[in-house]
């Protein structure tokens, strides 16, 4: 999802060679099939392309899957990232690594870059270790910690909004937590910001959170309103009501003040949903399904 949006945005002003593993993504001028866990193939690709910058969005990004398939998660999230960092340093390429808000345990929220990490999932652990590897191996790096993403994905099954809408249209009841907070980001907006960072001279960790801290439940209702979807099957729940594996980090909202100081601001949820659902968005209007709230 994110890699596709970044590549689409970047090809407006740069030569982009977009890597994929299984399915060639649409709307891109140059694509290359590459399994990032194949060290030899990655080494050859970088030698052939000699990129000025690598924006590394590939990952096993589903925390539940990472918890079950630890070896595979480690291979792509940590092993492939470490290798890329080493190769980028060797080729003089700048590396932007996409990390996550789930490096934090979520007990406090509004995290700044210098706050201590303490992941509660194996996914978060792999990202913490990958951040360390990037810092160690490649001096010219950006570690962009990003948050829950929404927007259109090539598969139509990846955005937080897509998953919710698909489930509701299938008649599934969806429980969303009123005590789980995120600073969600709209994917095309985030892609624009990551490109700015890749082209800047900033080095280090930077938080890329949306302009609004919002609970998963309220976020879900906003999505339904924007997309004109009936939310009568959205049920308010508390984290303690369900046994989640891995455990939920309650508040991993990020303070993106550092980004703001660079003059860059990510959209709030209303702005992001308007970008995705356009003028059809019902945000700010009266509730389309008031009886089901
Ligand atoms: N989605 C979120 O809410 C969220 C939140 C915070 C941070 N992030 C981070 O943002 C980044 C992008 O996330 P996303 O949601 O866009 O993920 P995504 O849609 O699942 O995309 C991840 C991509 O990585 C590719 N990939 C996995 N293993 C690979 C390998 N061995 N070689 C080459 N490619 C491989 C996958 O290819 P296949 O299709 O072939 O599997 C997939 O296209 C990730 O680093 C993720 O950890 C995501």
């Amino acid at each position: 999802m994110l890699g596709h949006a970044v590549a689409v945005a970047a090809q407006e002003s740069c030569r982009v060679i977009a890597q994929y593993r299984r399915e060639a993504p649409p709307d891109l001028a140059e694509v290359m099939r590459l399994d990032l866990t194949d060290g030899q193939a990655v080494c050859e690709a970088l030698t052939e392309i000699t990129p000025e910058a690598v924006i590394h969005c590939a990952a096993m990004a589903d925390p539940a899957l990472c918890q079950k398939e630890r070896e595979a998660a480690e291979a792509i999230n940590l092993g492939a990232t470490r290798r890329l960092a080493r190769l980028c340093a060797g080729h003089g390429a700048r590396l932007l690594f996409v990390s996550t808000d789930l490096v934090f345990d979520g007990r406090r929220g509004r995290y700044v870059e210098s706050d201590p990490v303490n992941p509660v999932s194996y996914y978060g652990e792999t990202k913490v270790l990958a951040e360390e590897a990037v810092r160690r191996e490649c001096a010219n790096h950006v570690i962009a910690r990003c948050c829950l993403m929404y927007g259109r994905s090539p598969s139509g099954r990846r955005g937080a909004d897509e998953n919710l809408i698909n489930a509701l249209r299938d008649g599934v009841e969806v429980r969303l937590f009123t005590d789980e907070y995120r600073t969600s980001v709209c994917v095309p907006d985030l892609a624009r910001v990551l490109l700015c960072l890749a082209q800047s001279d900033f080095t280090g960790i930077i938080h890329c959170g949306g302009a609004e801290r919002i609970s998963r439940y309220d976020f879900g209702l906003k999505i339904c309103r924007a997309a004109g979807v009936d939310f009568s099957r959205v049920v308010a729940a508390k984290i303690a009501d369900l046994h989640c594996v891995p455990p939920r980090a309650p508040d991993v909202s990020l303070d993106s003040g550092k980004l703001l100081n660079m003059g860059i601001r990510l959209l709030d949820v209303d702005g992001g949903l308007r970008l995705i659902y356009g003028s059809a968005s019902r945000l700010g209007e009266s509730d389309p399904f008031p009886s089901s709230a």
Side-chain angles (χ1 to χ4, degrees):
M1 174 168 64
L2 178 62
H4 180 252
V6 169
V8 166
Q11 71 180 5
E12 284 178 22
S13 55
C14 313
R15 180 176 173 213
V16 175
I17 301 167
Q19 269 79 36
Y20 70 97
R21 182 177 57 162
R22 281 184 292 208
E23 253 179 68
D27 311 319
L28 294 170
E30 280 187 80
V31 295
M32 175 190 267
R33 185 173 207 134
L34 184 66
D35 183 338
L36 289 173
T37 60
D38 180 343
Q40 179 73 20
V42 177
C43 186
E44 284 169 11
L46 277 185
T47 305
E48 186 193 324
I49 300 167
T50 58
E52 280 175 66
V54 172
I55 303 185
H56 176 30
C57 303
M60 186 187 280
D62 173 351
L65 190 62
C66 291
Q67 207 73 16
K68 273 194 280 183
E69 298 185 9
R70 289 184 173 225
E71 251 178 60
E74 185 186 349
I76 175 65
N77 292 3
L78 174 57
T81 303
R82 187 196 292 123
R83 185 181 305 110
L84 257 186
R86 221 169 261 165
L87 287 168
C88 281
H91 285 280
R94 182 161 164 80
L95 174 64
L96 187 149
F97 169 58
V98 178
S99 189
T100 173
D101 50 8
L102 292 175
V103 295
F104 297 111
D105 60 21
R107 284 197 226 146
R108 211 200 62 210
R110 298 187 171 90
Y111 292 100
V112 296
E113 287 81 354
S114 54
D115 281 327
V117 295
N118 184 32
V120 297
S121 64
Y122 188 65
Y123 167 68
E125 267 178 52
T126 62
K127 288 290 195 174
V128 166
L129 294 171
E131 286 188 358
E132 283 169 17
V134 168
R135 276 201 301 269
R136 206 172 40 240
E137 301 285 350
C138 182
N140 187 7
H141 70 262
V142 180
I143 295 170
R145 290 194 184 134
C146 303
C147 305
L148 182 70
M149 294 174 197
Y150 61 97
R152 303 240 157 83
S153 62
S155 69
R157 294 189 304 272
R158 187 68 194 126
D161 53 335
E162 292 175 330
N163 289 338
L164 174 63
I165 292 166
N166 292 343
L168 293 173
R169 290 201 170 131
D170 288 346
V172 176
E173 185 180 276
V174 181
R175 290 179 176 215
L176 294 177
F177 296 128
T178 54
D179 55 353
E180 182 190 8
Y181 293 89
R182 309 292 286 264
T183 32
S184 306
V185 280
C186 171
V187 161
D189 189 37
L190 177 62
R192 169 189 67 84
V193 168
L194 296 184
L195 262 185
C196 282
L197 287 170
Q199 292 171 325
S200 73
D201 55 10
F202 173 83
T203 309
I205 300 178
I206 192 145
H207 284 180
C208 299
E212 183 177 1
R213 173 182 171 273
I214 188 169
S215 76
R216 287 299 290 265
Y217 178 74
D218 288 336
F219 181 44
L221 294 192
K222 283 197 181 211
I223 290 168
C224 291
R225 288 196 192 101
V229 173
D230 179 4
F231 51 76
S232 54
R233 285 180 192 273
V234 176
V235 178
K238 297 269 186 204
I239 293 175
D241 296 344
L242 293 180
H243 174 66
C244 299
V245 181
R248 291 288 173 139
D251 185 348
V252 286
S253 55
L254 298 185
D255 179 325
S256 301
K258 202 166 169 179
L259 195 64
L260 264 179
N261 288 339
M262 293 170 71
I264 305 174
R265 185 186 175 82
L266 280 147
L267 291 169
D268 62 10
V269 171
D270 288 353
L273 289 173
R274 226 173 269 123
L275 191 66
I276 304 300
Y277 295 95
S279 53
S281 165
R282 302 178 187 206
L283 288 165
E285 292 176 15
S286 58
D287 199 335
F289 302 102
S291 59
S292 56

